[in-house]
Amino acid sequence: MIVTVTMNPAIDKTIEIDEMICGGLNRIKAFESDAAGKGINVSKTIKALGGKSIAIGFIGGDAGNTIKNALDAEGIENDFVYVDGITRTNTKVFENSGRVTELNEPGPNIKDEDIEKLFEIIEKYASKDTLFILAGSVPAGVEKTIYRDITEKVHSLGAKVFVDADGEIFVRALEAKPDYIKPNDVELAQYCNISGDITEDQIIEMAEKLVSEGIGHVAVSMGKEGAIFVSEDEKFMCKGLKVEAHSTVGAGDAMVAAISYGVSEKISFRDCARLGIATSAGAVMTKGTKPPTKETVNSLIGKVEFK
Ligand SMILES: Nc1ncnc2c1ncn2[C@@H]1O[C@H](COP(=O)(O)OP(=O)(O)OP(=O)(O)O)[C@@H](O)[C@H]1O
Ligand SMILES: [Mg+2]
């Protein structure tokens, strides 16, 4: 069973207008809303690949209900903690010129009792067959140690953890030795205090060090260059697939989803990597933040090469 945890979900709203008139009336030509947040995006991609997951986290207000309804409509099981306050709506305004203006709401303040309720839900699902995915930022009121604390709790119940986060949340999560991590090259460089571009040799060296310290599997994504995968027994690199890029937003989430789905299907780490490269390339080919279709992923999977 896969459980995705989204502490800070959002409705992603995209609006198209001709040209922004600041201080005046702007007529919207087209708009779209999607339930989002890293864990929720991962759940959607797992579904597209033919898998199942349960989406949990915090939601509040009408926007929170919209997220729950959207997941219900897509057939994605969910079990959220309802909190006071209103789930964020993040609005992106696209103009004809290509200029994009973003308006992000602050989201709710999480209370200690909300966190306790989340832990109750987590404990309910944690068993030796569960993989928890802890992805993305955390809202106000939540300590940066939360991914470490969740990892420790679910490890004590036999479950496994996949962490995709950056900055202090990532650093603190590593203290609990998650089973899978997927930083991108920039996040890893930041973690290692490397300024400028991190080289492939430095990535391999750092990934090996993390594995030697007890992190089960490290995948370091490098955008169109592909990704490097290291575990105790294996080390390999896959070149990124040459595809027509429409939207690179969410490519990392697609890779996390594919590896997690592969783990739940008990395929090898190598086959998880293959699926991760194909699914993330498929996400890049797909317009907006929608997951790639299974057909797209299947058409790419034979093209993945190992080095
Ligand atoms: N332009 C591209 N062409 C082909 N594949 C790509 C491209 N960009 C990204 N990918 C694929 O997606 C994977 C993840 O991309 P990236 O390293 O940009 O993740 P990320 O920075 O974590 O993204 P996110 O915005 O989702 O957090 C890469 O390892 C690669 O397989
Ligand atoms: Mg990422």
Side-chain angles (χ1 to χ4, degrees):
M1 184 201 311
I2 302 172
V3 179
T4 63
V5 184
T6 313
M7 299 268 168
N8 210 1
I11 294 178
D12 272 356
K13 189 166 184 179
T14 44
I15 287 173
E16 285 176 39
I17 59 173
D18 286 328
E19 190 188 351
M20 178 90 88
I21 307 162
C22 291
L25 173 69
N26 292 280
R27 295 212 184 268
I28 294 169
K29 289 195 296 187
F31 65 94
E32 210 180 288
S33 285
D34 285 306
K38 280 191 175 288
I40 288 173
N41 295 342
V42 169
S43 275
K44 287 183 180 176
T45 304
I46 290 171
K47 165 98 187 178
L49 292 173
K52 271 188 180 171
S53 67
I54 303 170
I56 71 170
F58 301 117
I59 54 172
D62 286 345
N65 285 328
T66 302
I67 288 189
K68 181 177 168 41
N69 293 340
L71 293 179
D72 286 344
E74 285 188 48
I76 295 172
E77 208 181 314
N78 56 83
D79 195 353
F80 287 100
V81 177
Y82 285 86
V83 300
D84 290 339
I86 300 169
T87 290
R88 306 176 292 163
T89 297
N90 293 338
T91 307
K92 283 192 177 64
V93 184
F94 288 84
E95 294 170 70
N96 288 350
S97 65
R99 185 168 73 160
V100 183
T101 306
E102 296 190 53
L103 301 161
N104 286 4
E105 292 180 12
N109 250 306
I110 304 303
K111 302 194 195 91
D112 287 351
E113 65 200 60
D114 302 324
I115 295 171
E116 279 165 29
K117 283 186 199 152
L118 182 72
F119 267 87
E120 279 168 24
I121 292 174
I122 285 171
E123 284 171 41
K124 192 168 76 183
Y125 294 114
S127 75
K128 71 172 185 27
D129 284 326
T130 319
L131 174 65
F132 283 88
I133 300 172
L134 312 178
S137 62
V138 302
V142 177
E143 298 284 348
K144 300 263 193 287
T145 48
I146 186 85
Y147 287 175
R148 179 199 67 190
D149 298 345
I150 295 175
T151 303
E152 282 174 353
K153 172 49 82 184
V154 308
H155 272 169
S156 75
L157 297 165
K160 294 202 167 9
V161 180
F162 196 144
V163 172
D164 181 13
D166 64 347
E168 199 187 336
I169 306 172
F170 177 63
V171 174
R172 303 309 301 268
L174 294 191
E175 293 171 5
K177 315 292 179 206
D179 306 272
Y180 297 85
I181 58 171
K182 193 222 66 66
N184 63 29
D185 44 2
V186 177
E187 290 158 358
L188 188 70
Q190 190 193 11
Y191 175 74
C192 311
N193 283 320
I194 295 171
S195 56
D197 288 344
I198 186 168
T199 64
E200 280 176 16
D201 285 345
Q202 284 174 316
I203 291 176
I204 293 170
E205 193 185 318
M206 198 55 212
E208 284 179 329
K209 182 165 180 285
L210 289 168
V211 168
S212 74
E213 287 167 2
I215 304 203
H217 304 76
V218 179
V220 184
S221 64
M222 307 178 298
K224 66 176 172 21
E225 302 304 326
I228 287 170
F229 300 84
V230 179
S231 71
E232 211 178 309
D233 318 312
E234 287 174 289
K235 171 172 74 179
F236 42 83
M237 183 192 163
C238 297
K239 282 245 161 277
L241 298 179
K242 290 208 164 39
V243 296
E244 198 186 335
H246 284 293
S247 160
T248 56
V249 182
D253 302 341
M255 179 170 276
V256 171
I259 296 172
S260 305
Y261 171 62
V263 170
S264 75
E265 292 291 299
K266 300 188 168 52
I267 64 176
S268 67
F269 189 40
R270 220 178 162 78
D271 285 339
C272 287
R274 197 191 308 274
L275 187 61
I277 292 286
T279 307
S280 56
V284 166
M285 286 167 69
T286 309
K287 289 203 173 96
T289 53
K290 300 235 176 321
T293 63
K294 186 143 199 204
E295 289 68 39
T296 303
V297 175
N298 286 344
S299 72
L300 294 169
I301 200 144
K303 298 185 177 153
V304 180
E305 285 175 18
F306 289 85
K307 193 166 99 175

